[in-house]
Structures are given as structure tokens and as C-alpha cells.
Amino acid sequence: MLIDTHTHLDSPKFDEDRAEVIERAREAGVHKLINIGFNRETIPTTMALAEQYTFIYAAVGWHPVDSIDMQPGDLDWIASLCDHPKVVAIGEIGLDYHWDTSPKDVQQRVFREQIQLAKQKQKPIVIHNRDAHEDVVRLLREEGAQEVGGVMHCFSGSWETAKQCLDMNFYISFGGPLTFQNARVPKEVLAHVPIDRLLIETDAPYLTPHPYRGKRNESAFVRLVANTMAELTGKSVEEIAKITTENALKCFGM
């Protein structure tokens, strides 16, 4: 039994066959999924999925690339949704210095506000970090994020960065890139992360694992990530499924 800890099944890329995609995930042994609502458009569609399916849970937050669009009432909206029984985390939040859509100072302010909200609501946080490792770690530390911890989503940083995040009560989550033949750094990080801090995810419809790279990702493919993790750690797929499921249940309080 597997848990896809980060997916976007509300994406328009699934509009024509969403029910079938969800059924394939179930058939692949995925018994719980966490769908991520990250802006004004995707938070309502994420909540709708969580309310429609008993095994789909929600994380809600404001993505850094959309920080510039966040209005004063949006943080209150996220706060109110944190009281919903299916909302298990605030995310994905963080910093993204790759896409030039929101100024860095705005991203950092919105990130800080949501860490503070997570502490108020006692919810773990799901971190999006692209080309901003140093600032992400610094802001997490300055805001006392270790109080709630959370997930470093689809981790792409170095072992040194991973260690700093582990020290702040975060889990390290691996997705499709772990399966890529040229993915040297994620594989090196995986070799050092304690087994009780490992999570798996798809980020569907993005970051599709080998051998489907270049095609649309879906939650059933989290099994491919588990297979690769098993090979790299010398454990069975069943052991990886058990370990990552227990970790996800603990991390998200499910």
C-alpha cells in the first residue's frame, strides 16, 4: 500500500479521464493521496476532490510563483480551510527563483506569513524550493518552522541542505527525478536520509518517472518511484511501501 504525498489531480490535464486516473492509482496500490491546492484556482478544485473521495486529502497554500497575486483576504481563506477535516497541511509554499513571476521580497513575505499560520494552526508545511536553497533554509530557521515540520517536496538540493532540513523536523520526499538515469544528486541524498524521514510522491501531472518521462504523470506511477527507492536502498518494494506509508501517516497526522 502506497501514499502519493504530492499530486495535482485537479489539473486540467486530467479533465478528460480523471476518474480513470484515480482508479488506476487505486489499482496500483495507492490507498491515499494528498492533492495540493496552491492558488486561487486550484484550492477550490482540490477541496472538491477531497470532499468527493474518502481517500484523497488536501494541502492548501499559496505557491511562490503566484505570490504577487495574493490578496489580504487569501491568508484568512487558507486559515479557515485548515479547520476542514480533510486538510492535512499548508502547501505548497516556499521560494522559486527560477521563474521570474513574483519578486523575491514578495515571495519571502508570503512564505513567512504562511509558516506563521502553520504554527498557529499546528499544520505541517509542504515546501516548494527551486534555486533558492539558502533562503528557504534561512527563512524556515528564522520563523521556527521546526515547531510544525513538514515535507521538502520533490527534493533537489544537496545532502548538506537536506541535513539542515532534517534537523528542522522535515521529511525528504522523492519523486520521478529519482528514477532518471542521470539523477546523481538525488540518489546521493537518498543514501544518507534516515529511513524514518523518507516520503514518495509523483507531483502528477509533472516530473514523470522513467520509463514514461516526457509523458503525463499520474499517481499510479508512484510505484515506479518506490521501485527505484527499493533498488537504491537494498530493500524490498514492500518494505519501502510500509516505511513511506508510516512516515506519511505520521507527518500529516492522518
Side-chain angles (χ1 to χ4, degrees):
M1 303 296 277
L2 300 161
I3 297 181
D4 183 358
T5 60
H6 195 115
T7 189
H8 300 277
L9 295 178
D10 59 317
S11 166
K13 294 181 183 293
F14 296 113
D15 282 353
E16 294 185 3
D17 61 347
R18 184 170 291 106
E20 291 86 346
V21 167
I22 292 172
E23 182 56 31
R24 282 197 293 273
R26 299 284 282 176
E27 291 171 355
V30 182
H31 68 115
K32 284 184 172 62
L33 306 98
I34 299 175
N35 207 81
I36 312 295
F38 58 87
N39 58 20
R40 195 168 290 106
E41 291 72 38
T42 61
I43 289 174
T45 51
T46 288
M47 293 306 300
L49 274 179
E51 291 175 348
Q52 181 179 357
Y53 293 93
T54 58
F55 50 87
I56 296 181
Y57 294 78
V60 294
W62 216 265
H63 197 288
V65 300
D66 296 311
S67 296
I68 195 70
D69 299 322
M70 194 174 192
Q71 301 300 314
D74 291 327
L75 194 65
D76 293 335
W77 179 33
I78 293 169
S80 68
L81 289 173
C82 285
D83 298 325
H84 192 289
K86 296 296 288 292
V87 172
V88 296
I90 292 178
E92 60 191 283
I93 66 175
L95 301 175
D96 191 316
Y97 293 169
H98 178 79
W99 300 110
D100 188 23
T101 57
S102 294
K104 289 182 181 179
D105 62 327
V106 175
Q107 290 190 43
Q108 292 183 19
R109 174 181 56 79
V110 170
F111 188 22
R112 287 184 188 275
E113 289 173 349
Q114 292 182 95
I115 297 171
Q116 293 162 11
L117 175 61
K119 290 167 64 178
Q120 293 170 19
K121 293 294 185 178
Q122 285 298 292
K123 294 285 186 184
I125 51 180
V126 179
I127 302 299
H128 173 101
N129 170 17
R130 189 162 186 187
D131 299 342
H133 304 307
E134 185 176 328
D135 281 352
V136 165
V137 169
R138 177 176 60 83
L139 267 61
L140 289 173
R141 187 176 288 124
E142 288 177 0
E143 294 298 332
Q146 69 274 6
E147 182 180 320
V148 291
V151 183
M152 304 308 293
H153 146 60
C154 202
F155 188 78
S156 62
S158 66
W159 163 239
E160 181 57 37
T161 299
K163 187 177 184 303
Q164 291 174 308
C165 296
L166 289 166
D167 290 344
M168 288 188 286
N169 196 27
F170 280 82
Y171 291 76
I172 307 297
S173 185
F174 294 91
L178 185 69
T179 71
F180 300 167
Q181 293 182 343
N182 61 349
R184 178 183 58 83
V185 174
K187 291 173 182 176
E188 289 176 353
V189 172
L190 173 64
H192 291 91
V193 176
I195 61 170
D196 63 349
R197 295 295 191 88
L198 291 173
L199 295 176
I200 53 177
E201 63 172 89
T202 60
D203 200 22
Y206 316 106
L207 299 177
T208 312
H210 177 79
Y212 301 107
R213 190 175 181 180
K215 299 180 181 178
R216 184 190 68 175
N217 200 3
E218 56 181 78
S219 284
F221 294 166
V222 76
R223 180 165 289 278
L224 299 174
V225 181
N227 290 347
T228 298
M229 186 175 284
E231 293 170 5
L232 293 171
T233 59
K235 298 184 182 300
S236 68
V237 177
E238 290 75 19
E239 286 177 299
I240 290 298
K242 183 175 187 294
I243 289 165
T244 56
T245 291
E246 289 176 352
N247 291 348
L249 294 175
K250 182 178 179 182
C251 174
F252 294 107
M254 294 191 296

